[in-house]
Amino acid sequence: MSDPCEHLQYYLVGGAVRDTLLGLLESDRDWVVIGSSANEMRQRGFRAVGKDFPVFLHPRTGEEYALARRERKTGPGYTGFTTDSRADVTLEEDLSRRDLTINAMAQDADGTLIDPYGGAADLAEGVLRHVSTAFVEDPLRVLRVARFAARYQNRGFTVAPETLDLMKDICHSGEIDSLVAERVWQETCRALAEPAPAEFIRVLRACGALARVFPEIDALYDIPQRADFHPEGDALTHTLMVLDAAAQISADTKVRFAALVHDLGKGATPKDQWPRHIKHEHRGVHLVKALCQRLGVPNDHRDLAILVTGQHLLMHRLDELRPETVLKLLNRLDAFRRPERIESFVLACEADSRGRGNTPKGPYVPAQLLNDYFNAARAVDLFDLADSGLDGTARRNEVERRRTEAISTVRPNRTKAD
């Protein structure tokens, strides 16, 4: 079978070129085709998959080959574009529509770099810079730039001042409000998976997007806290330190999301109660639920975030709690049916403990204690209850009694109550 790319003018583009220059493992390889048409691509055996513009899958490798295209802004939002994929579109025109210079490079079949917008130089200097002023036409790019900042923050990358100015323009114009919830969550979840997810939030705040996309998080800015517990400063500073800590101990985006939203209730504390935040965990649960509903956050992320928001203070005081309260905590976690939840819950609470100016040294003691409590309660023999003749309520009460008694044996010398 002949090579379907024979005599085609095609180039490797985007992330694969960028990551190769950074010395990283290649991203998925994407290709752009110059001087062809959709009919020719199909005749060569490529399978069309693009909905909004011509994208095709290679019949052997499955890699994406897109016809080069121009774009013209026709309406609000990131979908308000018409595209032109005629054969006269040049490689430079196609690259010019991309968001950042580091993503606007190409390589030909011989490996020669084509870099009309200075992406290699910006890559070497650690700069995230827009390709052209057409950047402002797509509000999704605000989130993408912030996500790239989270990816490369540990390499010293920063957003170019002129690019940040354009991001501010997008926010001030209201164009950012046209983003649909699905795309906001998609970019956020991808940012949470990056090495420095807190940088995503910092960049969004720097350009004004945080208040439009995540007003509950933006509300934490300049909210005072008790200095004896939080010498690091305001509630947003603490939240970002918690997210940094979560990124150091877990790659799970569920844990990182829970860390990000665990203290939303502090943003709703009445001013006359500052710097204390009594029952902020209860206020926070309502805010987390509303945020998750608005953005369509998946159930697994939402459920852990609600648990951590509502129960993290109890977790920090675990050694003070009565056995009855410990069992209530385990039941709220649904630990006996879903024991895997314990690890994620503990990691998010540990991040909260470590994300402050007086970070405790050594292990997070409540982590082992919760597991000890759970193992003791789970080991209780309940088989005889099946034939006990007790009704449902009486049986549940007996289960609770036995598990509470087992928990009490783990720390029989408890001296503090909750």
Side-chain angles (χ1 to χ4, degrees):
M1 182 183 295
S2 62
D3 181 358
C5 291
E6 188 176 6
H7 304 307
L8 270 184
Q9 186 180 358
Y10 62 98
Y11 300 86
L12 184 67
V13 293
V17 179
R18 177 197 68 230
D19 289 350
T20 297
L21 293 179
L22 283 173
L24 302 174
L25 292 176
E26 280 189 6
S27 309
D28 292 338
R29 301 200 304 171
D30 295 318
W31 306 83
V32 66
V33 179
I34 306 298
S36 186
S37 67
N39 285 336
E40 181 184 5
M41 296 296 286
R42 284 190 290 266
Q43 290 171 3
R44 288 173 173 270
F46 287 84
R47 180 164 61 89
V49 294
K51 295 180 180 179
D52 301 321
F53 45 84
V55 179
F56 303 85
L57 297 184
H58 191 286
R60 297 179 190 170
T61 67
E63 293 177 338
E64 289 191 358
Y65 285 68
L67 295 182
R69 65 185 189 271
R70 305 181 186 98
E71 290 181 345
R72 183 169 65 88
K73 183 74 168 173
T74 58
Y78 66 95
T79 59
F81 292 90
T82 58
T83 61
D84 174 7
S85 299
R86 288 177 294 185
D88 65 341
V89 180
T90 67
L91 177 63
E92 288 73 16
E93 285 179 305
D94 182 87
L95 294 176
S96 72
R97 67 178 175 76
R98 298 174 187 267
D99 50 6
L100 297 171
T101 61
I102 65 171
N103 297 326
M105 297 179 286
Q107 282 183 335
D108 66 16
D110 297 326
T112 301
L113 182 68
I114 297 95
D115 181 19
Y117 303 106
D122 283 342
L123 206 59
E125 295 172 8
V127 178
L128 301 173
R129 192 191 317 275
H130 62 283
V131 174
S132 75
T133 54
F135 178 93
V136 300
E137 296 176 352
D138 184 355
L140 189 63
R141 289 175 171 175
V142 172
L143 302 186
R144 279 179 53 82
V145 172
R147 175 165 60 81
F148 276 105
R151 177 179 298 181
Y152 297 129
Q153 191 264 351
N154 59 354
R155 288 175 171 263
F157 275 64
T158 57
V159 180
E162 60 271 28
T163 301
L164 190 64
D165 286 342
L166 292 183
M167 294 164 69
K168 291 177 181 178
D169 290 343
I170 292 173
C171 296
H172 294 159
S173 70
E175 185 80 0
I176 193 76
D177 299 330
S178 66
L179 290 176
V180 297
E182 179 185 4
R183 295 307 298 270
V184 172
W185 171 249
Q186 187 178 71
E187 286 297 319
T188 299
C189 194
R190 294 176 71 182
L192 288 171
E194 301 291 3
E199 190 66 11
F200 176 73
I201 302 299
R202 294 186 184 99
V203 171
L204 291 184
R205 187 159 205 291
C207 70
L210 191 63
R212 313 298 286 266
V213 179
F214 293 108
E216 303 92 341
I217 299 173
D218 190 70
L220 298 174
Y221 177 73
D222 218 21
I223 299 297
Q225 305 175 103
R226 286 180 55 180
D228 49 342
F229 289 115
H230 293 284
E232 69 276 2
D234 70 7
L236 182 59
T237 300
H238 167 61
T239 292
L240 297 184
M241 291 179 69
V242 172
L243 184 53
D244 282 332
Q248 293 171 9
I249 62 177
S250 176
D252 188 343
T253 56
K254 296 189 300 296
V255 172
R256 296 181 179 195
F257 179 64
L260 174 62
V261 301
H262 81 286
D263 261 356
L264 291 189
K266 290 181 177 177
T269 301
K271 288 185 178 182
D272 61 1
Q273 295 182 19
W274 291 353
R276 304 180 72 194
H277 294 278
I278 298 171
K279 295 186 177 180
H280 74 273
E281 68 275 22
H282 302 303
R283 293 190 297 274
V285 166
H286 296 294
L287 290 168
V288 170
K289 287 180 178 178
L291 183 154
C292 291
Q293 182 175 8
R294 185 177 76 247
L295 296 184
V297 175
N299 291 346
D300 56 351
H301 285 68
R302 180 201 64 197
D303 292 348
L304 181 64
I306 290 170
L307 286 170
V308 172
T309 299
Q311 310 302 323
H312 65 279
L313 295 185
L314 277 183
M315 182 61 182
H316 297 330
R317 298 173 47 233
L318 192 61
D319 63 337
E320 304 175 15
L321 303 184
R322 295 176 298 179
E324 295 84 357
T325 307
V326 172
L327 184 58
K328 286 180 182 178
L329 175 59
L330 291 172
N331 286 335
R332 287 168 187 156
L333 296 177
D334 201 12
F336 298 103
R337 292 192 306 171
R338 303 182 62 181
E340 72 280 359
R341 266 191 177 174
I342 292 179
E343 180 181 6
S344 299
F345 174 77
V346 166
L347 286 170
C349 291
E350 179 177 352
D352 179 40
S353 175
R354 300 191 182 284
R356 57 191 70 208
N358 53 354
T359 301
K361 303 198 181 292
Y364 180 57
V365 174
Q368 184 59 52
L369 182 56
L370 186 64
N371 279 289
D372 290 344
Y373 282 145
F374 174 64
N375 289 332
R378 183 170 56 172
V380 170
D381 186 356
L382 302 174
F383 288 108
D384 62 305
L385 294 180
D387 301 320
S388 65
L390 296 174
D391 63 21
T393 300
R395 187 180 302 172
R396 283 193 298 272
N397 290 340
E398 179 60 16
V399 170
E400 300 285 289
R401 186 193 67 78
R402 293 184 188 184
R403 286 175 171 170
T404 299
E405 184 176 310
I407 289 170
S408 69
T409 66
V410 174
R411 292 182 65 87
N413 296 319
R414 179 184 57 80
T415 59
K416 294 182 180 181
D418 65 322

